[in-house]
């Protein structure tokens, strides 16, 4: 997916920090961040979400901000972000520089970059701890949504039963919802550490997958419709009613629904394969998102509205609503999805699949030149000089946070040079999506040397040859 242009300043929306989060009012040091060096290796019960054991041993108040609580990890991360931004802006203004490095612009830049890199790594750990705590809260909330939907269905049936009366179809629908809710609750408990009910639709990049979500909608609809028919068949009293219900499962009645279900599930499988192949072939940059968001269903990796995703979700949602209405009106058969509506869903799925084949690009270096400041003389590239790497796609989506920017490396010959972080108030001037400035270390031998960038997503660019003078 095409990355958002960073301009002259890389976007910094989730900074890093060096100040630990506030804990309980004790004199003891706060517990280490989970899954980090020094953290205790607690044994978890299978299916138990991370952090559950600690909360059971010692209940924490709702306003607790200690680092082992789900809400406390969020507070710790936010405080770390604030501390990092304050530190970054102070260094950008020249405050806090040691006298030993202030004499040299290169030494000052390197010291500042090292300081911000260490702080960024610390906040990265806080962000991962927050994500784990967020999953602990999410799996319970998904269960609340499931049973809230069952309760809404029951209230709706009760409200309409005053005029039409209570029927066997209403009983079958309610029992199907109860059975489905129980199965989803069990699945949510087993996958509590991955988002509960949402675990199957969360992609490898930690975002909600549009293709999987749409396929899940159709799977749930079909399963619910079959359970309703099974419930009605179980309560059927006559042979004629049983024959009618069995006829409702004929392919002639549910051909449109079955076709849409098969196509959407196939699209979900194919899209996963296409993305995996393009990432492995370094033709697509994918970085882990901090956590899934509902907006992922309608946006690209940059968080911008995406046409293919939006139309796929919108058309599928309209068709699902139509199918639910048909099931409510005719609970004795599978929803007979008209072929016109089914074809509309298939065209939408084809558009979405084509967009997945078309998206993605790898970072590319266009040119490497000697960086020149005002007052400097023009000349060849020598060791100790700064070089400016010009290109595109250096900052992939979700890799613009300080801890990921600090991972960018430039190979100059056999020497690996980490891209220095150059702060300004509100962000960084280096690196950016189109330009990078790195020094040529003295370890680079004079002569021809190849320059290559390794992006924060681990994708390598093309190689450009430069001449390093004596």
């Amino acid at each position: 997916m095409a990355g958002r242009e960073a301009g002259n300043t890389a976007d910094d929306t989730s900074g890093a920090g060096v100040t630990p989060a506030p804990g309980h009012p004790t004199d003891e040091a706060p517990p280490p961040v989970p899954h980090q060096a020094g953290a205790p290796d607690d044994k978890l019960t299978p299916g138990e979400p991370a952090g559950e054991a600690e909360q059971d041993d010692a209940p924490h108040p709702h306003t607790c901000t200690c680092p082992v609580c789900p809400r406390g990890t969020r507070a710790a991360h936010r405080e770390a972000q604030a501390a990092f931004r304050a530190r970054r802006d102070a260094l950008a203004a020249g405050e806090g520089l040691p006298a030993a490095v202030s004499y040299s612009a290169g030494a000052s830049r390197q010291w500042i970059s090292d300081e911000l890199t260490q702080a960024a790594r610390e906040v990265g750990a806080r962000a991962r701890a927050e994500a784990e705590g967020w999953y602990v809260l999410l799996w319970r909330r998904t269960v609340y949504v499931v049973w809230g939907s069952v309760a809404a269905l029951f209230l709706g049936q009760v409200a309409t039963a005053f005029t039409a009366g209570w029927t066997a179809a209403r009983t079958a629908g309610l029992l199907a919802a109860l059975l489905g809710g129980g199965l989803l609750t069990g699945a949510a408990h087993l996958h509590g550490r991955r988002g509960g009910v949402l675990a199957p639709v969360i992609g490898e990049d930690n975002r909600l997958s549009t293709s999987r979500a749409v396929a899940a909608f159709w799977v749930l609809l079909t399963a619910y419709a079959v359970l309703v028919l099974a419930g009605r068949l179980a309560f059927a009293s006559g042979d004629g009613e049983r024959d009618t219900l069995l006829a409702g499962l004929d392919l002639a009645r549910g051909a449109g629904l079955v076709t849409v279900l098969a196509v959407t599930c196939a699209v979900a499988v194919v899209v996963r394969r296409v993305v995996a192949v393009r990432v492995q072939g370094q033709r697509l940059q994918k970085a882990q998102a901090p956590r899934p968001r509902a907006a992922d269903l309608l946006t690209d990796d940059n968080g911008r509205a995406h046409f293919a995703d939006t139309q796929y979700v919108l058309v599928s949602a309209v068709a699902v609503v139509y199918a639910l209405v048909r099931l409510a009106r005719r609970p004795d058969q599978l929803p007979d999805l008209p072929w016109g509506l089914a074809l509309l869903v298939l065209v939408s799925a084809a558009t979405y699949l084509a967009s997945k084949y078309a998206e993605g690009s790898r970072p590319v270096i266009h040119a490497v030149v000697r960086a020149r400041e005002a007052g400097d003389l023009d000349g060849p590239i020598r060791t100790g000089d700064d070089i400016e790497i010009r290109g595109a796609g250096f900052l992939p989506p979700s890799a613009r946070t300080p801890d990921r920017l600090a991972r960018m490396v430039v190979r100059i010959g056999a020497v690996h040079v980490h891209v220095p972080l150059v702060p300004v108030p509100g962000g960084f001037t280096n690196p950016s999506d189109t330009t990078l400035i790195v020094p040529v270390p003295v370890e680079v031998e004079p002569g021809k040397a190849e320059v290559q960038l390794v992006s924060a997503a681990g994708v390598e660019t093309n190689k450009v040859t430069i001449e390093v003078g004596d």
Side-chain angles (χ1 to χ4, degrees):
M1 228 168 259
R4 176 168 53 86
E5 290 295 331
N8 294 327
T9 304
D11 185 20
D12 174 28
T13 57
S14 58
V18 293
T19 303
H24 291 300
T26 64
D27 295 331
E28 298 179 359
V33 177
H35 302 297
Q36 301 299 318
D41 186 16
D42 296 329
K43 299 295 184 181
L44 294 177
T45 304
E48 181 183 9
E52 188 92 2
E54 295 88 340
Q55 296 180 52
D56 292 341
D57 293 339
H60 299 269
H62 180 76
T63 56
C64 174
T65 58
C66 69
V68 298
C69 298
R71 295 180 179 86
T73 54
R74 178 185 300 178
H77 186 209
R78 289 179 177 177
E79 183 157 331
Q81 287 179 320
F84 176 84
R85 292 184 181 116
R87 180 63 170 163
R88 178 200 60 202
D89 294 345
L91 292 175
E95 302 174 3
L97 277 177
V101 299
S102 59
Y103 69 92
S104 169
S108 299
R109 181 180 63 186
Q110 187 62 48
W111 186 88
I112 291 174
S113 179
D114 291 342
E115 285 289 305
L116 294 177
T117 298
Q118 293 296 325
R121 290 173 180 171
E122 174 68 18
V123 88
R126 295 292 184 185
R128 289 187 292 272
E130 181 194 2
E132 292 181 0
W134 181 79
Y135 276 121
V136 172
L137 299 177
L138 177 65
W139 84 273
R140 294 193 181 98
R141 293 172 180 173
T142 58
V143 172
Y144 298 155
V145 171
V146 168
W147 289 106
S149 302
V150 174
L153 174 64
F154 173 72
L155 294 176
Q157 289 184 340
V158 170
T160 56
F162 286 109
T163 57
W166 192 268
T167 62
R170 297 178 188 275
T171 302
L174 183 58
L175 291 178
L178 291 173
L179 179 58
L183 294 176
L184 290 176
T185 301
H189 179 72
L190 292 176
H191 297 280
R193 301 178 66 180
R194 282 294 299 165
V197 174
L198 295 180
V201 298
I202 297 178
E204 287 72 16
D205 58 352
N206 212 29
R207 296 179 178 86
L208 287 180
S209 170
T210 302
S211 59
R212 297 185 196 180
V214 170
F217 290 153
W218 288 105
V219 169
L220 291 176
L221 169 64
T222 306
Y224 179 73
V226 172
L227 287 176
V228 170
L229 289 175
R232 291 212 59 193
L233 187 62
F235 290 102
S237 57
D239 293 338
E241 185 178 359
R242 293 191 186 98
D243 293 340
T244 301
L245 292 171
L246 292 175
L249 290 171
D250 288 343
L251 183 60
R253 298 181 181 272
L257 176 63
V258 173
T259 301
V260 170
L261 175 64
V263 170
T264 53
C265 290
V267 167
V269 174
V270 172
V271 165
R272 180 178 181 180
R273 177 60 179 171
V274 168
V275 172
V277 169
R278 294 176 72 85
V279 170
Q280 293 173 2
Q282 296 194 354
R283 289 174 292 173
L284 176 65
Q285 297 191 84
K286 278 281 188 181
Q288 288 279 332
R291 65 186 187 186
R293 302 178 306 153
D296 294 339
L297 299 178
L298 306 176
T299 61
D300 58 15
D301 290 355
N302 279 319
R304 299 177 301 187
H306 194 263
F307 170 75
D309 293 49
T310 301
Q311 61 86 28
Y312 191 35
V313 171
L314 181 61
V315 172
S316 298
V318 171
V320 167
V321 170
Y322 178 87
L324 286 174
V325 172
R326 290 293 296 170
L327 179 63
R329 301 295 296 177
R330 296 293 301 271
D332 56 346
Q333 64 181 38
L334 289 177
D336 52 342
L337 201 65
W339 279 110
L341 185 56
L343 183 60
L344 181 62
V345 176
L346 299 185
V347 171
S348 176
T351 302
Y352 175 79
L353 184 59
S355 73
K356 288 300 178 182
Y357 274 100
E359 73 181 10
S361 61
R362 63 185 302 172
V364 58
I365 296 178
H366 295 155
V368 179
V369 298
R370 178 176 178 269
R372 176 182 177 276
E373 297 182 359
D376 285 350
L377 298 177
D378 293 325
I381 298 175
R382 296 185 176 87
T383 56
D385 290 343
D386 290 338
I387 57 174
E388 179 179 325
I389 303 174
R390 302 173 181 174
F394 295 158
L395 303 183
S398 295
R400 301 173 187 241
T401 55
D403 59 320
R404 291 193 177 273
L405 294 180
R407 299 179 186 177
M408 300 181 66
V409 175
V410 174
R411 296 195 189 107
I412 306 178
V415 182
H416 292 68
V417 183
H418 285 79
V419 179
L421 301 178
V422 180
V424 292
F428 300 90
T429 57
N430 189 65
S432 72
D433 194 50
T434 55
T435 58
L436 303 173
I437 296 179
V438 295
V440 179
V442 295
E443 290 80 7
V444 176
E445 298 291 338
K448 293 185 180 297
E450 291 183 333
V451 177
Q452 185 180 34
L453 169 68
V454 180
S455 72
V459 178
E460 298 178 342
T461 65
N462 57 308
K463 297 179 180 179
V464 175
T465 303
I466 62 172
E467 183 76 27
V468 180
D470 294 332

